Structure formats: structure tokens, C-alpha cells
Amino acid sequence: RSPARRHRETDVTAKVRHVWHQMHADGFVHDGSDSALDAFVAKITVRLNHGKGIASLAWCRGDTLMTVLESLKQWHLREMTAVLSPRDLAFLDHRGYNAINDLFTRKVRKVRV
């Protein structure tokens, strides 16, 4: 693999870890440890890896790694939208992950601090 490809995967791995730790800080994940993240990865990758989950985030590559990231973001998105009021959500022009995360930061994380 080229160094650029390895670097990109490292960036995606860092993003997965960031979302996981943010979910823990938000109270959506009880265990924010790397071993708990690896258990999530194993659960998500069972169907992608012929019935056997990949035991560690560090071993995920390419499409599998992107599937883990997108699954985690979708879970986080569901949790954040469940906490936000319908009124707050009604004023959003775009309901993607970053828009909801920004709104959650302004409305909920700001209040908790």
C-alpha cells in the first residue's frame, strides 16, 4: 500500500476513535475504552467478514473501516436527535452528521458544561 493510503486509513481510524470518545462523553456509550470500541467493531464487521467479526479497529482497512465509521456516526446521530427537541431540528437546512453534531454542541453540550 502506498503511504498516502495508509495515512488516510489512519485518519479514518482517528475519526472512529474521536466519535466513540465523544459518544462516551455525551453519555451514549457506558464504556469509552478501546476494548469496548473493539467489541463494537467486531459486532459491526461480522456480516462483512464472512461471519467472523474483526477483533480490533486497528485491523480494519478500506471499505470495512468506512462501514465501521458510518455505522458509528449513524448510531451517534440517532442518539443526538433523540435528545434534541423537534423544534431545534425543524430549523436545520441540512440534517447530516456534522450539522446535527454542531446543533447538539450548541444546545446540549454547552448546557452540560
Side-chain angles (χ1 to χ4, degrees), residues 20-101:
W20 182 259
H21 293 299
Q22 186 60 60
M23 288 183 71
H24 180 255
D26 291 341
F28 301 137
V29 173
H30 297 292
D31 184 353
S33 69
D34 285 346
S35 60
L37 175 56
D38 286 342
F40 171 79
V41 168
K43 181 179 177 183
I44 293 299
T45 58
V46 166
R47 283 182 273 142
L48 302 171
N49 197 38
H50 310 292
K52 184 163 172 92
I54 298 171
S56 175
L57 176 64
W59 298 339
C60 289
R61 300 285 183 264
D63 291 343
T64 304
L65 183 57
M66 290 306 297
T67 299
V68 169
L69 175 60
E70 291 305 317
S71 297
L72 189 58
K73 285 169 51 178
Q74 288 300 315
W75 178 20
H76 195 199
L77 190 65
R78 286 190 304 274
E79 296 291 343
M80 289 186 294
T81 55
V83 171
L84 291 165
S85 74
R87 183 176 181 195
D88 289 333
L89 293 169
F91 291 106
L92 281 180
D93 292 331
H94 178 65
R95 292 181 181 234
Y97 179 80
N98 290 334
I100 298 290
N101 194 33

Side-chain angles (χ1 to χ4, degrees), residues 11 13 16 65 71 73 90 106 110:
D11 290 347
T13 301
V16 169
L65 183 57
S71 297
K73 285 169 51 178
R106 288 192 314 274
K110 178 181 171 185

